[in-house]
Amino acid sequence: MRAERDSDRWFAPAAAGVSVVAGTAVGGAAFGLPGAAGGLLVGGGAGWALAQRLSRRTRTRRRALATPFPERWRAYLEERYDHFERMAPDWRARFEADLRIFLAEQRITGVGVDVTDELRLLVAASAVTLSVGWPTYEWDQLTEVLLYADDFDRDWRVEDAEDPDRAGETHPWGTIILSVPSLEQSFDDPDDAFHVGLHEFAHLLDVDQSHFDGIPPGLSGAAAQAWTQLAAKEMERLRRGRSVLDEYGSEEPAEFFACAVEAFFEASLALRRRHAELYAALRDYFGQDPAAWDDARGLAL
Ligand SMILES: [Zn+2]
Protein backbone atom coordinates (compact mmCIF):
# COMPACT_ATOMS: atom_id res chain seq x y z
CA MET A 1 0.00 0.00 0.00
CA ARG A 2 1.23 3.47 -0.76
CA ALA A 3 0.39 6.82 0.80
CA GLU A 4 -1.09 7.99 -2.47
CA ARG A 5 -2.84 5.38 -4.52
CA ASP A 6 -1.77 5.39 -8.16
CA SER A 7 -5.38 5.45 -9.24
CA ASP A 8 -6.12 8.56 -7.14
CA ARG A 9 -3.35 10.52 -8.80
CA TRP A 10 -5.05 10.50 -12.19
CA PHE A 11 -8.58 9.55 -11.23
CA ALA A 12 -9.40 12.63 -9.12
CA PRO A 13 -8.63 15.30 -11.76
CA ALA A 14 -10.07 13.13 -14.55
CA ALA A 15 -13.32 12.51 -12.68
CA ALA A 16 -13.60 16.20 -11.79
CA GLY A 17 -13.14 17.15 -15.46
CA VAL A 18 -15.71 14.65 -16.68
CA SER A 19 -18.14 15.86 -14.07
CA VAL A 20 -17.81 19.51 -15.22
CA VAL A 21 -18.22 18.63 -18.89
CA ALA A 22 -21.14 16.30 -18.26
CA GLY A 23 -22.91 18.84 -16.04
CA THR A 24 -22.53 21.56 -18.66
CA ALA A 25 -23.65 19.33 -21.53
CA VAL A 26 -26.70 17.94 -19.73
CA GLY A 27 -27.73 21.38 -18.45
CA GLY A 28 -27.21 22.91 -21.91
CA ALA A 29 -29.18 20.22 -23.71
CA ALA A 30 -32.12 20.52 -21.31
CA PHE A 31 -32.34 24.28 -20.73
CA GLY A 32 -30.10 26.05 -23.24
CA LEU A 33 -27.49 28.57 -22.09
CA PRO A 34 -28.80 29.12 -18.53
CA GLY A 35 -29.00 25.33 -18.14
CA ALA A 36 -25.41 24.96 -19.29
CA ALA A 37 -24.29 27.54 -16.73
CA GLY A 38 -26.21 25.75 -13.96
CA GLY A 39 -24.89 22.40 -15.13
CA LEU A 40 -21.36 23.78 -15.06
CA LEU A 41 -21.81 24.76 -11.43
CA VAL A 42 -23.38 21.45 -10.39
CA GLY A 43 -20.81 19.41 -12.31
CA GLY A 44 -17.96 21.52 -10.95
CA GLY A 45 -19.28 21.11 -7.39
CA ALA A 46 -19.58 17.35 -7.71
CA GLY A 47 -16.11 17.08 -9.24
CA TRP A 48 -14.64 19.24 -6.48
CA ALA A 49 -16.30 17.12 -3.77
CA LEU A 50 -14.92 13.92 -5.27
CA ALA A 51 -11.40 15.32 -5.59
CA GLN A 52 -11.61 16.44 -1.94
CA ARG A 53 -12.68 13.00 -0.84
CA LEU A 54 -9.80 11.31 -2.59
CA SER A 55 -7.21 13.78 -1.36
CA ARG A 56 -8.58 13.32 2.17
CA ARG A 57 -7.72 9.64 1.89
CA THR A 58 -4.15 10.52 0.90
CA ARG A 59 -3.97 12.93 3.84
CA THR A 60 -5.24 10.26 6.26
CA ARG A 61 -2.54 7.91 5.04
CA ARG A 62 0.21 10.51 5.26
CA ARG A 63 -0.92 11.34 8.79
CA ALA A 64 -0.93 7.66 9.74
CA LEU A 65 2.63 7.33 8.47
CA ALA A 66 3.93 10.65 9.82
CA THR A 67 4.77 9.50 13.34
CA PRO A 68 7.18 6.67 14.22
CA PHE A 69 5.65 3.21 14.50
CA PRO A 70 4.61 2.76 18.16
CA GLU A 71 7.33 0.89 20.02
CA ARG A 72 4.66 -0.93 22.04
CA TRP A 73 3.13 -2.32 18.82
CA ARG A 74 6.52 -3.38 17.52
CA ALA A 75 7.36 -5.19 20.74
CA TYR A 76 3.99 -6.91 20.64
CA LEU A 77 4.49 -8.09 17.04
CA GLU A 78 8.01 -9.31 17.78
CA GLU A 79 6.76 -11.32 20.70
CA ARG A 80 3.58 -12.56 19.10
CA TYR A 81 4.13 -12.96 15.38
CA ASP A 82 6.68 -15.38 14.00
CA HIS A 83 6.39 -14.10 10.42
CA PHE A 84 7.23 -10.58 11.57
CA GLU A 85 10.13 -11.87 13.62
CA ARG A 86 11.67 -13.64 10.64
CA MET A 87 11.58 -10.54 8.42
CA ALA A 88 14.69 -8.51 7.56
CA PRO A 89 14.55 -4.80 8.55
CA ASP A 90 13.46 -3.53 5.10
CA TRP A 91 10.53 -5.98 5.04
CA ARG A 92 9.58 -5.05 8.57
CA ALA A 93 9.45 -1.38 7.59
CA ARG A 94 7.07 -2.17 4.72
CA PHE A 95 5.01 -4.39 6.97
CA GLU A 96 4.68 -1.68 9.61
CA ALA A 97 3.67 0.97 7.05
CA ASP A 98 1.01 -1.27 5.49
CA LEU A 99 -0.26 -2.19 8.92
CA ARG A 100 -0.85 1.45 9.80
CA ILE A 101 -2.65 2.23 6.56
CA PHE A 102 -4.83 -0.84 7.03
CA LEU A 103 -5.68 0.17 10.60
CA ALA A 104 -6.37 3.78 9.61
CA GLU A 105 -8.92 2.77 7.00
CA GLN A 106 -10.53 -0.57 7.79
CA ARG A 107 -13.41 -1.22 10.11
CA ILE A 108 -12.94 -3.85 12.82
CA THR A 109 -15.98 -4.39 15.00
CA GLY A 110 -16.42 -6.54 18.09
CA VAL A 111 -19.57 -8.59 18.52
CA GLY A 112 -19.64 -9.15 22.27
CA VAL A 113 -15.90 -8.52 22.22
CA ASP A 114 -13.85 -5.56 23.42
CA VAL A 115 -11.69 -4.64 20.41
CA THR A 116 -8.27 -3.85 21.87
CA ASP A 117 -5.26 -2.45 20.01
CA GLU A 118 -3.71 -5.90 20.27
CA LEU A 119 -6.65 -7.57 18.53
CA ARG A 120 -6.65 -4.92 15.82
CA LEU A 121 -2.95 -5.62 15.27
CA LEU A 122 -3.58 -9.35 14.90
CA VAL A 123 -6.30 -8.73 12.30
CA ALA A 124 -4.20 -6.25 10.34
CA ALA A 125 -1.11 -8.48 10.54
CA SER A 126 -3.12 -11.35 9.03
CA ALA A 127 -4.13 -9.25 6.02
CA VAL A 128 -0.82 -7.48 5.52
CA THR A 129 1.12 -10.77 5.62
CA LEU A 130 -0.51 -11.65 2.30
CA SER A 131 -0.15 -8.27 0.64
CA VAL A 132 3.18 -6.89 1.92
CA GLY A 133 5.02 -8.11 -1.18
CA TRP A 134 2.66 -6.17 -3.48
CA PRO A 135 3.38 -2.45 -3.12
CA THR A 136 0.21 -1.23 -4.83
CA TYR A 137 -2.28 -3.75 -3.47
CA GLU A 138 -5.39 -2.43 -1.74
CA TRP A 139 -7.92 -4.39 0.32
CA ASP A 140 -10.78 -2.61 -1.45
CA GLN A 141 -13.06 -5.63 -1.34
CA LEU A 142 -13.02 -5.70 2.48
CA THR A 143 -16.05 -4.03 4.01
CA GLU A 144 -15.70 -5.01 7.65
CA VAL A 145 -14.06 -7.48 10.03
CA LEU A 146 -16.34 -8.80 12.77
CA LEU A 147 -14.71 -10.29 15.86
CA TYR A 148 -16.74 -12.97 17.63
CA ALA A 149 -16.18 -14.06 21.21
CA ASP A 150 -15.77 -17.71 20.23
CA ASP A 151 -16.14 -20.25 17.43
CA PHE A 152 -19.64 -20.27 15.95
CA ASP A 153 -22.11 -22.51 14.17
CA ARG A 154 -23.69 -22.30 10.72
CA ASP A 155 -26.27 -19.81 11.98
CA TRP A 156 -23.50 -17.58 13.36
CA ARG A 157 -24.44 -18.44 16.92
CA VAL A 158 -21.74 -18.29 19.56
CA GLU A 159 -23.87 -18.74 22.63
CA ASP A 160 -26.00 -21.88 22.53
CA ALA A 161 -24.22 -22.86 19.32
CA GLU A 162 -25.24 -26.34 18.25
CA ASP A 163 -22.07 -27.28 16.44
CA PRO A 164 -19.48 -24.51 16.79
CA ASP A 165 -17.18 -25.76 14.06
CA ARG A 166 -16.35 -22.42 12.50
CA ALA A 167 -13.35 -20.34 13.51
CA GLY A 168 -13.85 -17.86 10.69
CA GLU A 169 -15.87 -17.09 7.61
CA THR A 170 -15.55 -14.84 4.57
CA HIS A 171 -18.52 -13.53 2.66
CA PRO A 172 -18.33 -12.67 -1.01
CA TRP A 173 -19.61 -9.16 -0.26
CA GLY A 174 -16.50 -8.46 1.79
CA THR A 175 -17.24 -9.22 5.44
CA ILE A 176 -14.85 -11.42 7.39
CA ILE A 177 -15.83 -13.03 10.70
CA LEU A 178 -13.08 -14.24 13.04
CA SER A 179 -13.37 -16.05 16.35
CA VAL A 180 -11.06 -14.30 18.79
CA PRO A 181 -9.81 -17.42 20.65
CA SER A 182 -9.00 -19.09 17.30
CA LEU A 183 -7.27 -15.96 16.04
CA GLU A 184 -5.17 -15.78 19.21
CA GLN A 185 -4.31 -19.45 18.96
CA SER A 186 -3.29 -18.99 15.33
CA PHE A 187 -0.59 -16.56 16.43
CA ASP A 188 0.39 -18.63 19.48
CA ASP A 189 1.12 -21.79 17.44
CA PRO A 190 3.21 -20.47 14.57
CA ASP A 191 4.08 -23.71 12.81
CA ASP A 192 1.01 -25.95 12.83
CA ALA A 193 -0.23 -24.72 9.41
CA PHE A 194 -3.44 -23.48 11.06
CA HIS A 195 -4.09 -19.75 10.95
CA VAL A 196 -7.65 -18.55 10.71
CA GLY A 197 -6.60 -14.97 9.91
CA LEU A 198 -4.43 -15.97 6.96
CA HIS A 199 -7.07 -18.46 5.86
CA GLU A 200 -9.94 -15.97 5.74
CA PHE A 201 -7.94 -13.17 4.13
CA ALA A 202 -6.77 -15.70 1.51
CA HIS A 203 -10.46 -16.33 0.75
CA LEU A 204 -11.05 -12.60 0.51
CA LEU A 205 -8.17 -12.28 -1.97
CA ASP A 206 -9.85 -14.95 -3.98
CA VAL A 207 -13.27 -13.26 -4.12
CA ASP A 208 -13.97 -12.69 -7.75
CA GLN A 209 -17.21 -10.78 -8.27
CA SER A 210 -19.42 -13.00 -6.16
CA HIS A 211 -17.68 -16.36 -5.93
CA PHE A 212 -14.46 -18.04 -4.87
CA ASP A 213 -12.69 -20.13 -7.49
CA GLY A 214 -9.48 -21.09 -5.72
CA ILE A 215 -7.31 -19.66 -8.49
CA PRO A 216 -5.05 -16.97 -7.04
CA PRO A 217 -6.25 -13.62 -8.40
CA GLY A 218 -4.04 -12.07 -11.04
CA LEU A 219 -3.15 -15.42 -12.56
CA SER A 220 -4.59 -15.98 -15.99
CA GLY A 221 -4.05 -18.12 -19.05
CA ALA A 222 -1.17 -20.56 -18.75
CA ALA A 223 -0.35 -19.55 -15.16
CA ALA A 224 -3.93 -20.14 -13.99
CA GLN A 225 -3.96 -23.48 -15.78
CA ALA A 226 -0.67 -24.50 -14.19
CA TRP A 227 -2.08 -23.59 -10.77
CA THR A 228 -5.26 -25.62 -11.37
CA GLN A 229 -3.21 -28.68 -12.31
CA LEU A 230 -0.87 -28.29 -9.36
CA ALA A 231 -3.85 -27.85 -7.01
CA ALA A 232 -5.55 -30.98 -8.34
CA LYS A 233 -2.35 -32.99 -7.81
CA GLU A 234 -1.83 -31.64 -4.29
CA MET A 235 -5.48 -32.20 -3.34
CA GLU A 236 -5.14 -35.83 -4.36
CA ARG A 237 -2.05 -36.12 -2.21
CA LEU A 238 -3.95 -34.56 0.69
CA ARG A 239 -6.70 -37.17 0.34
CA ARG A 240 -4.05 -39.86 0.64
CA GLY A 241 -2.91 -38.26 3.89
CA ARG A 242 0.60 -37.43 2.72
CA SER A 243 0.61 -33.68 2.91
CA VAL A 244 1.84 -30.85 5.11
CA LEU A 245 -1.46 -29.05 4.49
CA ASP A 246 -4.52 -29.14 6.71
CA GLU A 247 -6.79 -31.88 5.36
CA TYR A 248 -9.62 -29.38 5.02
CA GLY A 249 -7.78 -28.22 1.88
CA SER A 250 -8.99 -31.29 -0.01
CA GLU A 251 -12.64 -30.17 0.17
CA GLU A 252 -12.61 -27.87 -2.85
CA PRO A 253 -10.18 -25.64 -4.78
CA ALA A 254 -11.02 -22.50 -2.77
CA GLU A 255 -10.23 -24.30 0.51
CA PHE A 256 -7.08 -25.73 -1.02
CA PHE A 257 -5.81 -22.24 -1.83
CA ALA A 258 -6.59 -20.96 1.69
CA CYS A 259 -4.92 -23.97 3.38
CA ALA A 260 -1.90 -23.75 1.08
CA VAL A 261 -1.48 -20.10 2.14
CA GLU A 262 -1.56 -21.12 5.82
CA ALA A 263 1.10 -23.79 5.24
CA PHE A 264 3.24 -21.43 3.17
CA PHE A 265 3.56 -18.92 5.98
CA GLU A 266 3.44 -21.30 8.95
CA ALA A 267 5.17 -24.49 7.82
CA SER A 268 7.46 -22.83 5.28
CA LEU A 269 10.47 -25.12 5.62
CA ALA A 270 8.40 -28.31 5.55
CA LEU A 271 6.41 -27.06 2.56
CA ARG A 272 9.59 -26.20 0.64
CA ARG A 273 11.10 -29.61 1.36
CA ARG A 274 8.06 -31.79 0.75
CA HIS A 275 6.06 -29.72 -1.76
CA ALA A 276 8.77 -27.89 -3.68
CA GLU A 277 6.60 -27.01 -6.65
CA LEU A 278 3.77 -25.62 -4.53
CA TYR A 279 6.22 -23.68 -2.37
CA ALA A 280 7.86 -22.12 -5.44
CA ALA A 281 4.49 -21.18 -6.92
CA LEU A 282 3.42 -19.39 -3.73
CA ARG A 283 6.84 -17.78 -3.25
CA ASP A 284 6.66 -16.28 -6.73
CA TYR A 285 3.04 -15.30 -6.25
CA PHE A 286 3.43 -13.50 -2.92
CA GLY A 287 6.93 -12.18 -3.64
CA GLN A 288 8.08 -13.48 -0.24
CA ASP A 289 10.43 -16.33 0.64
CA PRO A 290 9.68 -17.28 4.27
CA ALA A 291 11.70 -20.52 4.16
CA ALA A 292 14.79 -18.59 3.04
CA TRP A 293 14.14 -16.14 5.87
CA ASP A 294 14.04 -19.09 8.25
CA ASP A 295 17.35 -20.34 6.78
CA ALA A 296 18.81 -16.90 7.44
CA ARG A 297 17.86 -17.03 11.10
CA GLY A 298 19.39 -20.47 11.45
CA LEU A 299 16.23 -22.54 11.68
CA ALA A 300 16.37 -26.08 10.42
CA LEU A 301 13.62 -28.56 9.89
ZN1 LIG B 1 -12.13 -21.74 4.20
Side-chain angles (χ1 to χ4, degrees):
M1 284 176 263
R2 291 194 175 134
E4 185 172 29
R5 297 162 63 132
D6 284 350
S7 57
D8 288 0
R9 203 168 300 142
W10 59 265
F11 182 73
V18 167
S19 167
V20 169
V21 173
T24 312
V26 170
F31 306 107
L33 195 58
L40 176 70
L41 283 176
V42 172
W48 182 81
L50 181 66
Q52 281 306 102
R53 223 186 88 134
L54 296 178
S55 72
R56 189 158 54 226
R57 178 161 61 198
T58 303
R59 282 202 304 274
T60 307
R61 290 188 169 197
R62 292 230 164 93
R63 209 178 310 127
L65 297 173
T67 52
F69 192 78
E71 200 47 59
R72 194 168 54 85
W73 289 9
R74 186 173 291 140
Y76 181 74
L77 288 171
E78 277 171 0
E79 183 199 306
R80 198 76 194 265
Y81 194 23
D82 190 58
H83 189 55
F84 181 76
E85 201 190 320
R86 60 156 72 111
M87 283 180 176
D90 55 331
W91 278 97
R92 283 192 185 196
R94 285 161 74 172
F95 192 86
E96 291 177 352
D98 282 1
L99 210 60
R100 284 214 284 188
I101 291 176
F102 185 95
L103 286 172
E105 295 178 355
Q106 301 292 355
R107 200 149 47 133
I108 302 172
T109 307
V111 180
V113 169
D114 182 22
V115 182
T116 59
D117 269 3
E118 285 77 12
L119 279 178
R120 288 163 51 77
L121 278 172
L122 297 187
V123 171
S126 302
V128 167
T129 293
L130 306 189
S131 58
V132 66
W134 305 327
T136 58
Y137 188 78
E138 303 284 344
W139 288 98
D140 283 336
Q141 70 280 48
L142 176 64
T143 47
E144 185 171 25
V145 178
L146 298 177
L147 295 178
Y148 279 19
D150 211 335
D151 291 1
F152 48 97
D153 68 11
R154 57 194 292 249
D155 298 317
W156 302 291
R157 282 180 301 203
V158 172
E159 272 176 53
D160 306 320
E162 275 175 11
D163 180 20
D165 61 348
R166 287 160 163 76
E169 203 165 272
T170 302
H171 296 274
W173 57 85
T175 302
I176 284 185
I177 303 175
L178 296 170
S179 144
V180 168
S182 289
L183 183 65
E184 303 246 13
Q185 191 215 322
S186 301
F187 282 89
D188 290 340
D189 302 330
D191 42 24
D192 61 355
F194 171 82
H195 195 297
V196 67
L198 299 178
H199 184 102
E200 299 308 328
F201 277 102
H203 279 319
L204 192 71
L205 266 188
D206 184 29
V207 171
D208 177 20
Q209 311 291 331
S210 59
H211 69 290
F212 309 96
D213 61 9
I215 298 174
L219 295 190
S220 58
Q225 212 177 353
W227 174 266
T228 307
Q229 281 169 5
L230 177 59
K233 201 171 70 183
E234 289 284 353
M235 285 169 79
E236 188 46 45
R237 187 168 160 187
L238 248 174
R239 284 185 204 107
R240 292 200 309 268
R242 307 164 71 92
S243 176
V244 171
L245 273 61
D246 189 301
E247 61 187 39
Y248 190 50
S250 66
E251 296 247 322
E252 49 170 310
E255 294 307 338
F256 174 77
F257 175 60
C259 291
V261 167
E262 290 174 85
F264 177 70
F265 288 106
E266 288 226 319
S268 319
L269 289 168
L271 194 74
R272 185 179 64 182
R273 197 181 65 176
R274 295 182 49 199
H275 305 253
E277 200 186 342
L278 179 59
Y279 181 85
L282 291 167
R283 179 197 61 207
D284 295 346
Y285 183 69
F286 286 109
Q288 303 179 57
D289 197 347
W293 299 348
D294 278 351
D295 292 338
R297 61 177 172 162
L299 287 191
L301 206 51

